[in-house]
Every structure is written in structure tokens, then in C-alpha cells.
Amino acid sequence: MSSSNLFLAGGHHSRGAFFGAKRALLLLLGPMLVACAGPRPAPSVQLRAFLGASDDGAYSYAEISESPGAALLARKVTVDARGKQTSDQALEPASAQAALAAAAQAGAAANRTVEAALGAVSMEGFSLERATFLAAAEGSTRWSLEPVQGAPCELILLDEEAELRISMRLPGGREELVLYRLPKVGRTRIEGVLLLPGARRALARTLSVWSDGDSVYRLEGLAELELGAALATLLDARAVRALQTGRLAQAREDLERAVRAAPRDAVAHYNLACAWALLGEEDKAILALGKAIDLEPEALRDQALRDPDLDGIRHRVELKLMIEPRSEDLGE
């Protein structure tokens, strides 16, 4: 069995390191996407606006930034369903100037301006209506994601003294995985979260505005949240505990949900293979292990060589072909 590593706030969350055949979730908080406090950004104005989503979870946004002595940046960007930028087009100058004028008029006011200013801007194949907007309340906000994720979980927005934080939690669970942190600088807020089709990603609408003498710095942003990966991490951690206490059916159910939430999560596929092997389902264990090793061959092949959870399929020729050293691996 393998598992994810979760560290305390300020640490590192890794899905690619494997330490031992058995592991339990050691930590309750671990950042995945971190916005750190630091030097103030150079642009006086930086605006990002959501332009729409496609049916498969891809999305588009507009980005505009302006700073003294620098050329105006105004572009429309598309990001595919796997998070890869696929196009970058120039934004019409008139639209960019309208957004900058609205931001200048707002000054240091703590409200977003870019969506209204770019209301007529669109990208072919993308629609605003395909995303579900969850508005933020004052203080602490909780949103149930069970209808879209297919598994009980909730998204939590906390407004604390020094920062805003978005995290995910399983109902009744003791783990809370931090997806995003935003230090408070001047007037800072998160307006809400846009759930993208496919239930694996979301975009948080953020705002930070502050004054420095006569200058006003204004950042209206979009922060991407990997919901599927976060849910898989939490389900995997709960499944590891279930395996360690002999609750094999519960572990298998959680791990099947995990691989649905994050199909390219090698750890979840590997642990699902362990669960199936312990349940005596050899063919299903072989299939799950094959997928895991395809995704993380170096780390998981070595793990599978010595993992007692896989002893039930140790006799299978498919396992031997997957994990035994081959001549090309040895440089022969």
C-alpha cells in the first residue's frame, strides 16, 4: 500500500513520493496551491476575468495588466480540461481600456470590476452558463460538493485575521486539505468559487486592493482549485486507514471514488490494486496495478516488488511482467 504525504500548513504536498508499504495520514492541513505574501507586484492593475467553460471542463479567461513604463498586456487565454494552456489571443483594445477605466474608477474600493466591464467579450465554444457560481458569505462559508463530485465532501472558505483560505473536507473526517491561501494585503476578499464542468476543477474569484502613497494597486484574479485531486487525496487517506483496520470493502469503495475523481492519480490506482488483491479479486487487482505503474513506473514498480498487500497476486505472470527488471531497464 502506498499513500499521499500531507504536511502542515507551509509544507509540501506530494503525490509522487512513496515511503514504505504501509502509511497513515499524519497531518490534518497541507497546502496544494499557495499564494504567498511577498514583494508587491509590479503592475498597478492586474485583472483576470472568467469568459466561460466548455462541456468537458476547459475554460477561458481574459487577462489585462498595466504598469508604468510597461506595455499593456491584454489577452484571451484558453485552458484545456487537463489544465494545459491551448491558446493565447489578443484582447480587443477597446475592451481592455474599458476594463482599465472601470478599475480606475473603483480606486481602492473592495469590489470586482472586470466581469461587468468585459461582459460582451466571449470565446467561441465557451459559455458562462456552463459554470456554477458559489457566492461567499461573511466569515466562514461551507459548500457541499456531493452533487457535483459524486462523493460526500465540502469546500470551506475561512476568513481569518491574516489570510483567506479555501480547503476541502470529508464529512466527519479529521483531515482538511488546503487548496488555496491568500494573505490579506489592504482590502482582500474572495468573492466566490466557479465550479467547472466535470467536477474536477474550480476557479476562485479573488480581489486585493491597497494604496501606497498616490498609487493604487489592484489585483482582480482567478485562482484554479484542483478539486478532483484534493478529493482523491482525502479519500485515499481514509482508505489507507480502512485497509489497516481490515475494513476492505470500505477502502475499495473510497478508492474507486478516488480514481473517478482523479483518473491520473497513480497512488489511488495503486492502493485500489492492494484493496482488490486483499479481497481476492485478482483480475481487478492486476488491472488497477497496471494503470498505477503506467502512471508512475519507477516508484511504483519498486513498491510493488516488496508490498505484502500484493502477495495474493504474486503468482500472476502479469504481475511479474509489470514489476520485474527488464533488460532495457538494466541498460543491456
Side-chain angles (χ1 to χ4, degrees):
M1 185 194 314
S2 190
S3 72
S4 331
N5 304 311
L6 295 184
F7 296 92
L8 284 170
H12 176 65
H13 165 228
S14 170
R15 298 291 292 173
F18 307 93
F19 301 97
K22 297 281 185 181
R23 62 182 183 171
L25 188 69
L26 301 179
L27 226 353
L28 308 187
L29 296 178
M32 287 178 59
L33 302 176
V34 182
C36 297
R40 289 173 176 171
S44 298
V45 177
Q46 183 172 319
L47 312 172
R48 281 193 177 185
F50 176 67
L51 297 181
S54 63
D55 289 331
D56 66 353
Y59 67 94
S60 64
Y61 67 90
E63 181 177 33
I64 305 161
S65 65
E66 182 182 53
S67 60
L72 173 68
L73 171 66
R75 60 182 189 148
K76 295 186 287 185
V77 178
T78 60
V79 179
D80 69 15
R82 293 179 62 178
K84 181 180 179 181
Q85 183 176 316
T86 56
S87 72
D88 187 341
Q89 306 173 25
L91 179 66
E92 298 81 1
S95 297
Q97 291 300 331
L100 291 170
Q105 183 175 5
N111 62 286
R112 287 179 63 92
T113 62
V114 64
E115 280 79 21
L118 296 180
V121 176
S122 62
M123 288 283 285
E124 185 176 354
F126 294 86
S127 169
L128 294 171
E129 286 69 32
R130 290 194 183 100
T132 302
F133 182 64
L134 305 177
E138 294 295 327
S140 177
T141 299
R142 293 173 181 263
W143 299 294
S144 171
L145 298 185
E146 183 171 359
V148 293
Q149 287 281 9
C153 64
E154 62 182 1
L155 209 58
I156 305 164
L157 170 60
L158 286 175
D159 184 348
E160 298 183 329
E161 182 178 352
E163 68 176 14
L164 301 174
R165 186 174 76 225
I166 298 178
S167 58
M168 182 181 282
R169 181 183 295 169
L170 298 176
R174 63 175 182 265
E175 301 85 21
E176 182 178 312
L177 188 62
V178 178
L179 304 181
Y180 182 71
R181 333 173 67 93
L182 182 63
K184 289 187 177 180
V185 180
R187 300 180 180 182
T188 299
R189 60 189 290 249
I190 295 176
E191 182 183 71
V193 171
L194 285 157
L195 297 177
L196 299 175
R200 292 178 185 157
R201 287 186 298 169
L203 301 172
R205 285 180 174 169
T206 67
L207 172 72
S208 292
V209 184
W210 66 91
S211 300
D212 185 4
D214 294 332
S215 300
V216 175
Y217 293 80
R218 187 175 192 87
L219 308 180
E220 299 182 30
L222 293 174
E224 187 171 308
L225 311 178
E226 292 288 350
L227 301 182
L231 178 58
T233 298
L234 292 172
L235 288 169
D236 176 72
R238 188 167 72 179
V240 167
R241 292 196 303 274
L243 286 173
Q244 290 171 336
T245 55
R247 293 175 289 123
L248 301 183
Q250 178 64 56
R252 187 264 308 158
E253 182 179 342
D254 277 345
L255 290 165
E256 287 187 320
R257 289 174 172 172
V259 299
R260 286 197 299 269
R264 297 188 61 79
D265 188 321
V267 173
H269 283 286
Y270 182 91
N271 284 340
L272 180 58
C274 292
W276 281 126
L278 292 168
L279 285 164
E281 296 281 356
E282 295 184 13
D283 291 341
K284 293 178 179 179
I286 289 291
L287 288 172
L289 184 61
K291 180 64 174 179
I293 290 178
D294 283 345
L295 293 167
E296 284 281 358
E298 293 184 13
L300 288 178
R301 187 179 292 141
D302 179 68
Q303 178 83 13
L305 276 168
R306 52 190 171 81
D307 196 332
D309 286 346
L310 299 176
D311 286 350
I313 57 172
R314 194 72 60 189
H315 65 285
R316 295 286 293 256
V317 65
E318 300 98 320
L319 178 65
K320 298 179 187 296
L321 291 173
M322 280 190 281
I323 68 176
E324 288 185 352
R326 296 167 293 186
S327 58
E328 58 267 30
D329 297 329
L330 299 174
E332 297 180 1

